[in-house]
Amino acid sequence: MSVRELVVLGTASQVPTRHRNHNGYLLRWDGQGILFDPGEGTQRQMLRAGVAAHDIDRICVTHFHGDHSLGLAGVIQRINLDQVPHPVTAHYPASGQRFFERLRYATAYRETVRLTEAPVAGGGVLAETPSYTLEARRLDHPVESFGYRLTEPDGRRMLPGRLAAHGISGPDVGRIQREGALGGVALEEVSEVRRGQRFAFVMDTRLCDGAYELAEGCDMLVIESTFLDEDIALAGDHGHLTAGQAARVARAAGVRHLVLTHFSQRYGEPDEFARQARAAGFDGELSVARDLARVPVPRRAA
Amino acid sequence: MSVRELVVLGTASQVPTRHRNHNGYLLRWDGQGILFDPGEGTQRQMLRAGVAAHDIDRICVTHFHGDHSLGLAGVIQRINLDQVPHPVTAHYPASGQRFFERLRYATAYRETVRLTEAPVAGGGVLAETPSYTLEARRLDHPVESFGYRLTEPDGRRMLPGRLAAHGISGPDVGRIQREGALGGVALEEVSEVRRGQRFAFVMDTRLCDGAYELAEGCDMLVIESTFLDEDIALAGDHGHLTAGQAARVARAAGVRHLVLTHFSQRYGEPDEFARQARAAGFDGELSVARDLARVPVPRRAA
C-alpha cells in the first residue's frame, strides 16, 4: 500500500468551535498510521473521518496542553475495547510522563493491547522502519514541546536510457537493483537518487531552530498558525506562530505542501491565513486545514 | 428564575456514533446547573447546546467508566479557562478518587476556580439548598456506581376560597404564608401541600433497590436503557437495563416523565425503545433522548 495522506481530525486551538474540533491528525504512511496530538473528541472525529482504532500504530504528542492530548484517554481506551491486534507505541515529552500515565489510566477499563511508552527526552531519532525514520526536535512553548519529522530513506530511480545503453533489461533490472552491480555495471551508472519523502509536524511553538530543522526539505509540513500576523505580539506572549511566520519557515525550508492549522477561535473565515502565507512569500502548495479533510502527501519530487 | 429543564448533551453508551456523543446532561434547576456524567466531548456538545462553563455549579458522576467521566478533564479545564466566578462542587464515587484526580489534573493548565471534591461514600444526603436536596443511592454495576436524586422541599399552595371565607386578603396573604398563622387562623386551614418537584438520574445499573428508591415519585426520571428487551441476558451480564426494565421501574415509582437514554450503538432507530417502554405498561410522558434535546421538567402536580 502506498497511500500517504494526512487525515485532519481537528483544527482548533484551545477551545473547540462548531466547525473545528480540538486538534488531531492521522498520517497514513503506506500501511502504517501515526496519530498526532489527539485532543478531546478525537475518538468521535475518527468515526466521522473513517479512521478506525486499528489504523493507529503510533501516537506522537507534541506537549501536554489539553487541546493536544486530552483525547489520548479515549483513543487508548478505544484501542483496547476494539482489541487492536498489533502493538502501539506512544511518544510524548518525557517531562510529561505523569500526564501520560493519568490519561492512560484515566478511568476503569480492560487492557488488551500492548502499548509501549516511548517518552522523548532530548529529541533525535526515535524509530527506524523500512519506510521512515522518525525524529523529534525540541520546540519553544511555555510547556516542553517536541515537533516530529518522518524521513523516508532515499531510494534510486532507474534510468531507462542508461539501462538500454548497457543492455540491461527484463529480470536483470531487478537484479542490479538488489545487488548493486551486474556484469561490471554499477547501479549508480544506470540510476539516479530518488529522494525519500519527508513530513514534519510542528506545534506548539514560537519561531525557533527546531521548527526550521524539522521543516527542512519537507514534502509536507503541518504547522500551527494560531494567530494572524496582526496579533504577532499575542503569538509571542503565548508561544505560538502567526500565519506569516509559519509560511516563512516553510519558504526557508523549501517545503512543497504547507498545511496551516490550529487556529484561534477569535478568527472567522480562514481565507486570511492563506492570504498572509502568500504575502510572506510561500509559493508552494498550500492548505488551510479544515476538519475531516484528507490531504495527500505530494508525490516524490522528480 | 424558574426554568427547570434537562439539556441532553450526549446519549451513547460505550462508543460514540455519528448522531450520539458519549453521555452528558445538564439539569437547569432555577438558577443552578448540575452536570451529570460528562463523557468525552461534553465540552464541545455544551457549545452546540448553548451551555456555558458558567452554567455549571455542580457535577455528579455516577461511575468511572470512560463514557460517563472522560469529559471531566475538558470540562474542568474549561471552567478554569473561562474563570467561572462561582465555586463548583463535584460528587463521584469515593472509590474512584484516584480517577477523579487523574482527570482533574490530566494535563497542564492554570487553576482559577474553587472546585470542591465531594466524594460519595455510602450514599444519602449530599447537599441541601433552598431549592433542592441532593441524595445518592448505590446502584448495581461492575464498578461502583451511584444514582442521584433532587427533591425540592414541599411548599404550600394557597386556597382562594378558604382565604376569602376567613376574610384574608391583600398583604395578609403573604403574612400568613411567612408567619404560619394570622389572627387565630392556621396556614394549614387556608392552604394545601404543594409537593416539591423530584428528579432522578439513574445509570449504569442492573435492576436494584437503589434504582427504585431514586425513581420513587419523580416528576422526571432519566434512566439508562442500554439494551432492548431481547438482549436482556446481555444487559444482565454487563450490569445494564433494557427499555422494558427501565419502564417498569418508572411505572412502579409513579414517574411522570420518563427519559430513556444511554443506548448501545448496536441499535438503529430509537423508536423501538419507546415501543418496549409502552409495552411494559408505562403510560406517562416518555422521551427517547436525542443529543441536544431540551426536555422540560413537568410542572408541579396539581
Side-chain angles (χ1 to χ4, degrees), chain A residues 155-264:
Chain A
R156 295 202 73 84
R157 179 181 290 112
M158 304 310 286
L159 298 168
R162 300 275 190 86
L163 287 167
H166 288 281
I168 299 172
S169 64
D172 284 345
V173 177
R175 228 173 119 195
I176 192 170
Q177 284 185 283
R178 283 191 304 278
E179 299 175 10
L182 185 76
V185 180
L187 176 60
E188 288 69 21
E189 296 176 63
V190 294
S191 65
E192 61 183 5
V193 170
R194 187 200 62 183
R195 212 186 62 155
Q197 283 181 308
R198 303 174 187 189
F199 169 93
F201 184 83
V202 176
M203 61 191 74
D204 289 357
T205 191
R206 292 183 185 87
L207 280 182
C208 66
D209 290 346
Y212 283 97
E213 290 165 20
L214 290 162
E216 185 56 36
C218 273
D219 296 282
M220 177 178 281
L221 169 66
V222 179
I223 188 167
E224 70 124 309
S225 65
T226 310
F227 291 99
L228 289 172
D229 290 342
E230 53 267 37
D231 293 318
I232 194 164
L234 261 180
D237 288 349
H238 292 93
H240 287 295
L241 298 174
T242 68
Q245 289 178 317
R248 277 191 290 278
V249 170
R251 189 181 65 170
V255 165
R256 296 175 67 212
H257 192 147
L258 168 63
V259 180
L260 298 178
T261 187
H262 192 268
F263 306 112
S264 166

Side-chain angles (χ1 to χ4, degrees), chain B residues 221-254:
Chain B
L221 169 66
V222 179
I223 187 167
E224 70 125 308
S225 66
T226 310
F227 292 98
L228 289 172
D229 290 342
E230 52 268 37
D231 293 318
I232 194 163
L234 262 180
D237 287 350
H238 292 94
H240 288 295
L241 298 173
T242 68
Q245 288 177 318
R248 279 192 288 279
V249 170
R251 187 181 67 170

